[in-house]
Amino acid sequence: MGNSSKDDSTTDGDTSGGNTPPSNSSLYSEGEKVLAYHGPRIYEAKVQKAEIRKNEWRYFVHYLGWNKNWDEWVGEDRLMKHTEENVLKQQALDKKQGVDKNVKSGRSAQAKAKNSTDAKVDKEDIKTNVPKGKKRKNDSGVEKGSVSVEKLVKIQIPATLKKQLVDDWDFVSQQDKLVKLPRSPTVDEILTKYLEYRSKKDGMVADSIGEILKGIRCYFDKALPMMLLYKKEQKQYNEAVVDNVSPSTIYGAEHLLRLFVKLPELLAYVNIEEETLNHLQQKLLDFLKFLQKNQSTFFLSAYDGIKVSEGKGKGKDE
């Protein structure tokens, strides 16, 4: 699961009395148990509130078995009735995504998350507190399950960028398409543009911002092959990143955004004072808003139809 806030009023807008209600009545009622899409998987959830926002029904849901920090507003396209047929669909999807059959659904779904962005993340399976007894190490040797939720940096990804993550997952995992490399602008160029943007806006840029951007670049280069790629992208990475070339000079916004899904997990292992942590969270959020502001120019609206090699026997199981 991706980072969510208890209220998305900053992105979805508050209920407005001037809105004309949709012609159809609410499909889901408050207190109703439902099934909700979150990334490539389906979770049991409960509708806490139902409101008309921007002329459409929005539902504030709590994912059963998950910390309330993951509660979020979703549209009808993310929900399904809790029927036997849909539960079977949930189980089939879990099986396809490689969820451990011996682990109950819900809070334990992350226990078998693959070492890739198995979702989108936000809409991905990125909840980092693995169930007790299910500790394991990822490829970087970091033991997962040893970090409490309280220690995680909270990074609220804007709603339009969350959709970008879902579309990204769909292109690669469902449509077998890849981002054409090298990208333009590259991660390096985006970081430089942000530095110029802050410099122009503030008149001067604090040294701390430059250090944060260097940190983002470093984390991206290290995390990309370990945590940010889907299996279907591994061959492309091996072909594109050669001779010690930095991935940040080849990849672009699509893969950079995936890093922000994983950053809470990565930063949890860094000893940061609370005041510094709060400052970092504010700067990371400001950077995400910069990505959102330039979303139409930084991100691809559609991938170029570069098909994954048909010869791979496991091409459909990620």
Side-chain angles (χ1 to χ4, degrees), residues 188-205:
D188 270 0
E189 290 169 343
I190 291 172
L191 294 176
T192 299
K193 288 177 184 293
Y194 175 73
L195 195 62
E196 294 171 349
Y197 159 76
R198 290 278 14 138
S199 180
K200 184 177 181 180
K201 188 172 184 179
D202 302 337
M204 60 178 291
V205 178

Side-chain angles (χ1 to χ4, degrees), residues 144-213:
K144 301 187 77 172
S146 59
V147 181
S148 64
V149 180
E150 289 72 21
K151 285 187 175 182
L152 293 182
V153 178
K154 296 182 184 298
I155 302 176
Q156 182 181 349
I157 298 177
T160 56
L161 293 183
K162 288 182 181 180
K163 184 179 184 303
Q164 189 78 46
L165 285 165
V166 177
D167 292 342
D168 176 51
W169 167 81
D170 183 70
F171 279 128
V172 180
S173 294
Q174 302 301 301
Q175 300 183 40
D176 289 345
K177 295 180 180 180
L178 304 180
V179 172
K180 185 177 180 180
L181 300 177
R183 281 287 287 117
S184 179
T186 64
V187 170
D188 270 0
E189 290 169 343
I190 291 172
L191 294 176
T192 299
K193 288 177 184 293
Y194 175 73
L195 195 62
E196 294 171 349
Y197 159 76
R198 290 278 14 138
S199 180
K200 184 177 181 180
K201 188 172 184 179
D202 302 337
M204 60 178 291
V205 178
D207 292 340
S208 60
I209 294 181
E211 290 303 313
I212 289 172
L213 295 180

Side-chain angles (χ1 to χ4, degrees), residues 23-75:
S23 57
N24 61 317
S25 59
S26 175
L27 290 177
Y28 305 95
S29 57
E30 294 182 6
E32 180 178 353
K33 186 177 180 181
V34 296
L35 293 173
Y37 277 97
H38 198 86
R41 297 193 178 133
I42 301 171
Y43 298 86
E44 290 186 335
K46 184 177 181 180
V47 177
Q48 307 280 59
K49 300 177 186 177
E51 296 179 1
I52 295 175
R53 294 187 167 201
K54 293 188 177 180
N55 202 31
E56 65 177 2
W57 282 102
R58 304 285 292 176
Y59 303 92
F60 191 63
V61 299
H62 169 67
Y63 297 96
L64 301 182
W66 293 80
N67 188 290
K68 63 181 180 180
N69 289 333
W70 302 107
D71 295 359
E72 63 175 337
W73 288 96
V74 300

Side-chain angles (χ1 to χ4, degrees), residues 9 13 61 89 108 119 162 183 188 191 193 197 200 220 238 248 272 275 314:
S9 58
V61 299
K89 184 176 181 180
S108 300
K162 288 182 181 180
R183 281 287 287 117
D188 270 0
L191 294 176
K193 288 177 184 293
Y197 159 76
K200 184 177 181 180
F220 179 81
N238 294 336
S248 53
I272 307 176
E275 183 178 349
K314 296 182 179 180

